[in-house]
Amino acid sequence: MKFLISLAFKNLTRYKRRTIITALAIAIGIAMYIFIDAMLMGAEYESVRNLKWYETASARILDDEYWEERYQYPLDLNISDPDPILERLEAEGITASKRIVFTGDMILSRAEFGEDGNIPVRVTAIDPSRDFDVFHFGDTLIEGRFLEEDEEAILIGSWFAEDIGASVGNWVTIITRGNGGFYEAIDLQIVGILNCPNPNVNRTLIMMPIKTADYYLAMDGAATEINIRLPDQAEVEQEIATIQGLLNGNGITVMSWETMAKDYLAIAEAKRGGTGMILFLIFIIAAVGISNTMLMAIFERIRELGMMRSLGMSDMKIRIAFMLEAAGIGLIGSTIGVIIGVIANYWIINVGIDFGFLMREMDIGYRIQSIFRGTWNPGTIAVAFFAGILISTVVAYLPTNRALKMDIPSCLRHQ
Amino acid sequence: MRTKRTQKLLSLLVMICLIPSSLAAMSAEEIIRKTDEMQTFDTAITEGELQITDRFGTKISTFIAWSRGSEESLIEFTSTAERGQKILRTVDSIYLYYPDAQELIRMQGAALRQGMLGSDVSYEDMTGDNDRLSQYEVVLDGEQVIGDRMCYKLSLTATTRSVPYPKETIWIDKEHFIVLKGEYSTKSGRLIKEIDVLETGRFDDLVLATTTRISDTMKADSQTLMIIRELQVNVPIDSRIFSLDELSW
Amino acid sequence: MISIDQAVRNYQAGETVVRALRGVSLDIEQGEFISIAGPSGSGKTTLLNLIGCIDALDGGEITINGEAVSSMNKKSKTDFRRINLGFIFQTYNLIPVLTAYENVSFVLSLLDLPEQEVRERTMGLLKEVGLEGMEHRRPSRLSGGQQQRVAIARALIKNPQVVLADEPTANLDSETGEEILKLMKEMNRRHHTTFIFSTHDKMVMEYAERLVMLHDGQIISDERRQ
Ligand SMILES: Nc1ncnc2c1ncn2[C@@H]1O[C@H](COP(=O)(O)OP(=O)(O)OP(=O)(O)O)[C@@H](O)[C@H]1O
Ligand SMILES: [Mg+2]
């Protein structure tokens, strides 16, 4: 065995260039695996964070029937008296804030925007004094100012502002339906522009003070939702059970962000499967490379093989010798791959890649506005390292087998 | 002085003689009731089309509608693009049937606010106005000429939140009791929707709006024309036609 | 010790059958120094391959140490070769990445001998074949003759019963060839190892103690000399 190992490693030095090229192919595969995994894990992590920070919060209290009808944004399925609930939550040390979410058409006038237009919009009416304790919009203002308690004003996302050509000071009209179904038109002035790191939000965000919305929509103090922020390390399920207890029914229910983001998480899961496919392909390519290299190595040495077989070396040992050689290439490749991967990770984790141009145009399912940053993932690095060696080794089996099928005289006669 | 007064008196007399005495004293409520009555038939079969214009162009959809009373109707589209699509309105619901997908959808809640076939006519507009008098306070604002027709001008103010238009102004032809023009607004009086009858026509001894323009005032580049080409009233209609089971036929 | 009885070997070459051996019978005793001679295509290599258990008979029988080769399975043939046979090839077939020492010693490592013994035997034998001081050279730094000496050492290191050499001198100039033959003969005498080598070279035949002439797959003469 010792001899086989030393022979395998010496054989590696035989065709240095080929060994290096093959090892590099494996290295690139492994580095890509490590890099892509770090990037996607990072993106996923940040996406989930941005989802919680700007869309779902940690948990949300809703009318029992609201979730079923959520795409209609019904105002009548509301929490009729949110303030006592907020007080109770506050007493428990839980940060929460109420909102009214409704849809309508935003009317853009020629006078303000150069041409007439209308777009369907979703408006989030917030409590300006408390909402930013729950959501993280507090540091996203890039122009203008935040909302005041009771004014006919809105904040909009910067991409949305770009899309409609709006700037601070412009007036818009929102045509919507109040609680009950009556038409209402609200004239609102854009007082601030927010640059939200969550592209889905930044593309559509319109925020107005809840008091103003309450008045126009005839909500009589009701809110459509209460959002809750739990500490990062909180046991969400457990907290939710506690909150549900506080609510003691009353036709309202509390949902965790995971339940609300089920679709998103399912897609993320599917995407992980899809990227698994990409990674699998990378490995296939590396495997084909090494199998080819080994095939060449074996057939170049077929007379030597004949010599060893005639001297009574068993097929098993010959197989082991070649597999060890492939393992050696795998080891070199894996080592280089891990080094490149780790260096690339340093970069993707600390600098990141700006995909802003892409994210601006379309929704690729990540809640990241521009810069994709990776995370360290030691498990993946270890897996990649050993997989590189293992796959190389296993893949050498077939060409070795082919050579061993030849009879010994043919091997010896081989040119 | 004296002659002037006499003249006024005379002309008033003439007017009183010309107008049937029953109408002269019509209240706003009576006008509405009379109008609703004139528009409602035991049964009717209507053929017509919708011309829907938006910023991408104009689309024409033809339909046949069967109706019974004011609460039951079935509309079937006959134009190629939407052939076989049906809208059934029963006493308490609206259903859509899509033949390609063999799909039946019950419209409710906010979904009713969507425009039918992307037009300016919402499903809600189709159902509305049944008991206007219980939901609105009606005031007769006087009379006005619309086109070349003398009309009653009525102002309606909603007494409930559950109607789409908190304020309406409608003009009703004094002779035929058809709404020739309507303006629908928010509480503060902002105009949301306008309806204008561009043409009327006579079917047997009935006079009805044949071309009606419905426009969303907020959407400057869109409007819908509803044109009625054929109308038969009080013809026998198999009542099964208004049942849900028959819809997927 | 080796008894060949009516050995037949046919090869299929496309449509036609090449009758490489057409009934060869030969008995070889331990310690013989025997040359299989004949023109090209006469069946020399075929005969050596059959004795070396790396090719299979189509007819007849070969018995080695009383055991019929045709009754051995693949594993026992491999074991037999590992323990009892040495091979020397025309093209030396050394492993280029190994030193002279390693090319020889690996044969012993296949036999799982202790390291110390492997060392002593290898160094001793390399000295015997005249390669003292060159143990750590790789084949690329050895002449043809020196490489074939390594090959002889490799064949002899395990003290086999028989060494089979297929045209061991064909790649060497006549002077070096003669040296190799002398070495083989000396080894034969010293270790009492049976040497069977093939050649078509008159000069090489001179060294043989027994000369078997093949022609068209048949033995045409078998003579003992000196
Ligand atoms: N694998 C094979 N397939 C077909 N024919 C073969 C094969 N091996 C040998 N032969 C044929 O068998 C005959 C004997 O071949 P062999 O190699 O034994 O001759 P040889 O005496 O060793 O010749 P040379 O001096 O050229 O080495 C030749 O005609 C050769 O072409
Ligand atoms: Mg030969």
Side-chain angles (χ1 to χ4, degrees):
Chain A
M1 196 64 193
K2 210 174 124 197
F3 162 71
L4 292 180
I5 293 173
S6 96
L7 178 67
F9 274 86
K10 282 179 176 146
N11 273 326
L12 282 180
T13 63
R14 199 146 158 181
Y15 311 100
K16 287 201 189 73
R17 190 190 295 172
R18 198 163 61 201
T19 301
I20 287 171
I21 289 173
T22 314
L24 278 180
I26 296 169
I28 289 167
I30 284 173
M32 260 162 86
Y33 176 79
I34 293 172
F35 177 77
I36 290 176
D37 182 77
M39 188 170 88
L40 296 183
M41 286 285 288
E44 215 173 285
Y45 174 83
E46 201 169 320
S47 289
V48 165
R49 196 198 60 196
N50 283 345
L51 187 81
K52 283 161 77 178
W53 278 12
Y54 305 105
E55 286 178 72
T56 63
S58 306
R60 179 175 297 167
I61 299 173
L62 292 167
D63 180 89
D64 281 343
E65 288 164 44
Y66 189 93
W67 188 250
E68 191 81 1
E69 304 288 328
R70 64 191 181 281
Y71 296 117
Q72 310 287 355
Y73 296 93
L75 291 176
D76 52 338
L77 303 178
N78 57 34
I79 303 161
S80 56
D81 200 4
D83 293 326
I85 298 172
L86 288 170
E87 275 159 33
R88 225 170 305 153
L89 290 171
E90 202 173 358
E92 293 289 321
I94 297 168
T95 316
S97 180
K98 62 184 175 182
R99 281 179 164 191
I100 297 171
V101 181
F102 62 99
T103 56
D105 280 322
M106 179 180 270
I107 311 297
L108 308 174
S109 68
R110 191 187 301 269
E112 293 278 324
F113 293 90
E115 60 179 320
D116 291 322
N118 66 86
I119 17 168
V121 292
R122 182 181 64 225
V123 182
T124 307
I126 62 158
D127 176 350
S129 65
R130 293 175 75 160
D131 201 77
F132 297 166
D133 297 339
V134 175
F135 293 95
H136 286 65
F137 290 99
D139 55 1
T140 60
L141 187 74
I142 53 168
E143 225 188 305
R145 59 168 175 85
F146 282 122
L147 295 170
E148 277 156 24
E149 278 295 307
D150 189 3
E151 59 172 345
E152 268 134 38
I154 52 171
L155 296 173
I156 61 176
S158 63
W159 284 0
F160 181 64
E162 254 174 68
D163 289 342
I164 64 172
S167 42
V168 170
N170 282 140
W171 284 85
V172 298
T173 305
I174 306 262
I175 305 283
T176 183
R177 302 298 192 90
N179 187 12
F182 61 91
Y183 267 100
E184 187 55 280
I186 318 170
D187 290 322
L188 297 156
Q189 188 178 30
I190 300 168
V191 296
I193 291 174
L194 304 180
N195 182 16
C196 175
N198 180 330
N200 281 27
V201 175
N202 204 35
R203 222 190 298 277
T204 56
L205 181 72
I206 302 168
M207 273 181 172
M208 68 184 287
I210 195 165
K211 265 196 184 159
T212 315
D214 182 86
Y215 166 75
Y216 279 105
L217 304 176
M219 294 301 287
D220 299 327
T224 57
E225 61 190 48
I226 293 175
N227 292 287
I228 293 167
R229 178 186 181 180
L230 298 171
D232 289 343
Q233 66 280 4
E235 285 284 342
V236 176
E237 291 309 320
Q238 202 176 310
E239 293 282 347
I240 281 178
T242 314
I243 295 166
Q244 189 72 61
L246 284 177
L247 299 175
N248 59 42
N250 290 334
I252 50 177
T253 187
V254 59
M255 291 179 92
S256 72
W257 71 271
E258 274 166 312
T259 316
M260 289 186 278
K262 207 184 250 151
D263 293 348
Y264 169 80
L265 293 175
I267 291 167
E269 186 80 21
K271 226 181 304 179
R272 229 172 289 145
T275 51
M277 274 303 295
I278 296 172
L279 298 172
F280 179 69
L281 281 178
I282 291 174
F283 271 102
I284 289 286
I285 291 163
V288 168
I290 186 143
S291 117
N292 205 45
T293 297
M294 286 314 294
L295 195 66
M296 274 159 74
I298 288 164
F299 276 86
E300 268 165 23
R301 270 184 259 155
I302 205 98
R303 260 195 308 154
E304 217 173 297
L305 198 71
M307 177 275 289
M308 294 198 279
R309 292 171 74 191
S310 47
L311 289 186
M313 191 160 167
S314 66
D315 287 3
M316 184 60 157
K317 282 198 166 142
I318 288 168
R319 211 170 267 144
I320 290 174
F322 281 111
M323 284 168 84
L324 280 173
E325 192 172 328
I329 299 179
L331 177 68
I332 298 170
S334 283
T335 309
I336 300 173
V338 165
I339 293 170
I340 299 175
V342 165
I343 293 171
N345 271 11
Y346 259 107
W347 177 74
I348 187 80
I349 289 164
N350 294 312
V351 181
I353 306 176
D354 191 343
F355 278 120
F357 63 97
L358 196 66
M359 311 303 283
R360 181 71 183 89
E361 296 311 319
M362 57 188 190
D363 176 10
I364 61 168
Y366 285 107
R367 302 294 209 268
I368 297 172
Q369 199 188 60
S370 56
I371 296 180
F372 270 62
R373 282 211 178 79
T375 51
W376 285 113
N377 199 354
T380 300
I381 295 174
V383 165
F385 182 79
F386 290 112
I389 298 172
L390 191 74
I391 288 172
S392 305
T393 311
V394 169
V395 147
Y397 184 87
L398 288 179
T400 314
N401 240 20
R402 249 179 82 181
L404 287 174
K405 282 219 177 79
M406 279 172 82
D407 57 59
I408 300 174
S410 304
C411 289
L412 288 169
R413 238 184 308 114
H414 203 269
Q415 287 311 305
Chain B
M1 260 319 245
R2 204 186 157 93
T3 44
K4 271 231 165 126
R5 186 174 287 173
T6 323
Q7 266 180 357
K8 256 191 180 170
L9 209 76
L10 264 174
S11 55
L12 196 71
L13 267 171
V14 170
M15 272 175 73
I16 290 168
C17 291
L18 284 176
I19 300 166
S21 57
S22 60
L23 295 184
M26 269 185 109
S27 70
E29 282 82 1
E30 280 167 334
I31 295 168
I32 296 280
R33 247 180 240 118
K34 173 91 181 170
T35 306
D36 285 347
E37 199 178 295
M38 294 294 283
Q39 303 287 317
T40 317
F41 314 103
D42 283 348
T43 59
I45 301 177
T46 316
E47 278 177 54
E49 64 185 55
L50 285 173
Q51 293 184 5
I52 302 162
T53 305
D54 59 20
R55 69 194 140 104
F56 304 112
T58 300
K59 186 182 87 172
I60 297 179
S61 306
T62 54
F63 65 84
I64 303 179
W66 294 263
S67 60
R68 182 166 68 182
S70 63
E71 292 185 324
E72 285 175 300
S73 63
L74 176 77
I75 301 175
E76 178 172 352
F77 289 93
T78 51
S79 39
T80 330
E82 46 281 307
R83 180 161 309 179
Q85 277 186 38
K86 292 175 191 170
I87 302 172
L88 174 69
R89 184 184 158 201
T90 63
V91 178
D92 42 34
S93 294
I94 287 188
Y95 297 93
L96 301 191
Y97 175 73
Y98 294 98
D100 300 341
Q102 298 213 328
E103 197 181 9
L104 185 63
I105 297 169
R106 181 172 179 196
M107 303 292 279
Q108 50 190 344
L112 290 169
R113 296 172 188 169
Q114 296 163 14
M116 175 168 64
L117 292 184
S119 71
D120 297 274
V121 184
S122 67
Y123 298 104
E124 184 184 57
D125 290 337
M126 287 175 63
T127 60
D129 290 0
N130 287 332
D131 44 1
R132 253 194 295 220
L133 289 178
S134 70
Q135 293 173 317
Y136 285 93
E137 211 177 85
V138 193
V139 175
L140 179 58
D141 280 350
E143 295 172 10
Q144 216 172 353
V145 177
I146 298 295
D148 54 359
R149 310 287 308 170
M150 182 57 81
C151 292
Y152 294 114
K153 183 183 177 194
L154 299 171
S155 287
L156 292 82
T157 308
T159 53
T160 160
R161 286 171 182 170
S162 58
V163 293
Y165 307 105
K167 277 196 173 147
E168 296 184 5
T169 308
I170 54 177
W171 286 262
I172 294 175
D173 185 304
K174 281 184 69 175
E175 187 185 348
H176 303 300
F177 288 89
I178 38 184
V179 178
L180 287 185
K181 182 175 169 66
E183 289 178 352
Y184 304 85
S185 318
T186 67
K187 194 162 56 185
S188 59
R190 193 188 295 244
L191 193 56
I192 300 284
K193 194 166 279 191
E194 261 183 316
I195 291 179
D196 292 286
V197 173
L198 305 182
E199 272 172 50
T200 55
R202 187 177 285 275
F203 299 93
D204 299 330
D205 47 358
L206 275 170
V207 174
L208 285 173
T210 49
T211 304
T212 309
R213 181 179 62 204
I214 301 117
S215 51
D216 241 330
T217 51
M218 293 296 166
K219 300 175 186 172
D221 44 15
S222 82
Q223 68 165 31
T224 299
L225 287 186
M226 169 127 91
I227 298 168
I228 292 179
R229 301 237 181 263
E230 296 283 342
L231 177 74
Q232 291 166 268
V233 294
N234 300 336
V235 285
I237 295 177
D238 189 341
S239 66
R240 279 187 317 189
I241 209 165
F242 303 112
S243 79
L244 195 54
D245 300 338
E246 300 287 305
L247 192 55
S248 47
W249 260 49
Chain C
M1 183 201 66
I2 298 171
S3 169
I4 302 161
D5 180 23
Q6 288 298 318
V8 173
R9 181 70 172 107
N10 299 323
Y11 290 111
Q12 195 73 39
E15 291 287 276
T16 59
V17 174
V18 180
R19 303 174 66 194
L21 290 182
R22 333 180 172 196
V24 167
S25 296
L26 195 63
D27 281 309
I28 301 167
E29 294 308 318
Q30 183 66 46
E32 279 196 85
F33 195 70
I34 176 171
S35 172
I36 312 289
S40 186
S42 55
K44 305 183 291 290
T45 301
T46 306
L47 183 57
L48 288 182
N49 286 348
L50 288 170
I51 297 170
C53 301
I54 58 175
D55 200 359
L57 284 162
D58 290 318
E61 187 57 278
I62 296 177
T63 317
I64 304 176
N65 297 331
E67 195 177 351
V69 170
S70 60
S71 69
M72 293 200 249
N73 63 17
K74 192 179 164 195
K75 185 179 180 305
S76 48
K77 281 182 186 169
T78 306
D79 290 344
F80 174 74
R81 287 198 305 272
R82 186 165 61 242
I83 294 159
N84 296 312
L85 292 183
F87 282 86
I88 297 169
F89 307 94
Q90 180 181 340
T91 51
Y92 331 131
N93 286 348
L94 300 180
I95 300 174
V97 290
L98 300 184
T99 61
Y101 175 87
E102 290 164 337
N103 263 294
V104 175
S105 66
F106 95 84
V107 178
L108 289 183
S109 70
L110 293 181
L111 293 171
D112 293 321
L113 292 181
E115 219 164 307
Q116 176 73 11
E117 189 185 340
V118 170
R119 239 194 101 69
E120 277 167 16
R121 273 168 71 172
T122 307
M123 291 308 274
L125 190 58
L126 281 172
K127 192 174 167 188
E128 254 185 83
V129 300
L131 290 174
E132 198 177 8
M134 292 180 223
E135 295 91 346
H136 298 295
R137 290 201 192 168
R138 291 203 178 175
S140 56
R141 289 180 55 218
L142 293 170
S143 69
Q146 286 166 336
Q147 288 188 52
Q148 200 60 305
R149 281 164 195 268
V150 176
I152 290 168
R154 180 177 65 190
L156 287 169
I157 188 73
K158 59 189 166 190
N159 287 328
Q161 270 188 303
V162 185
V163 171
L164 298 164
D166 194 8
E167 313 219 17
T169 60
N171 271 24
L172 302 169
D173 58 76
S174 55
E175 206 173 312
T176 320
E178 260 183 280
E179 280 172 26
I180 290 298
L181 279 164
K182 281 179 187 152
L183 176 64
M184 280 167 52
K185 195 151 191 177
E186 198 186 324
M187 293 295 129
N188 162 253
R189 200 173 303 135
R190 203 181 292 171
H191 300 280
H192 204 60
T193 310
T194 309
F195 271 78
I196 307 172
F197 60 96
S198 70
T199 187
H200 55 257
D201 187 335
K202 280 264 157 35
M203 185 274 286
V204 177
M205 297 174 207
E206 293 301 312
Y207 281 86
E209 288 170 3
R210 182 179 170 191
L211 182 62
V212 175
M213 295 288 279
L214 276 183
H215 193 86
D216 274 352
Q218 282 178 312
I219 295 177
I220 52 167
S221 74
D222 181 353
E223 51 182 290
R224 284 170 203 278
R225 325 170 100 223
Q226 283 153 5

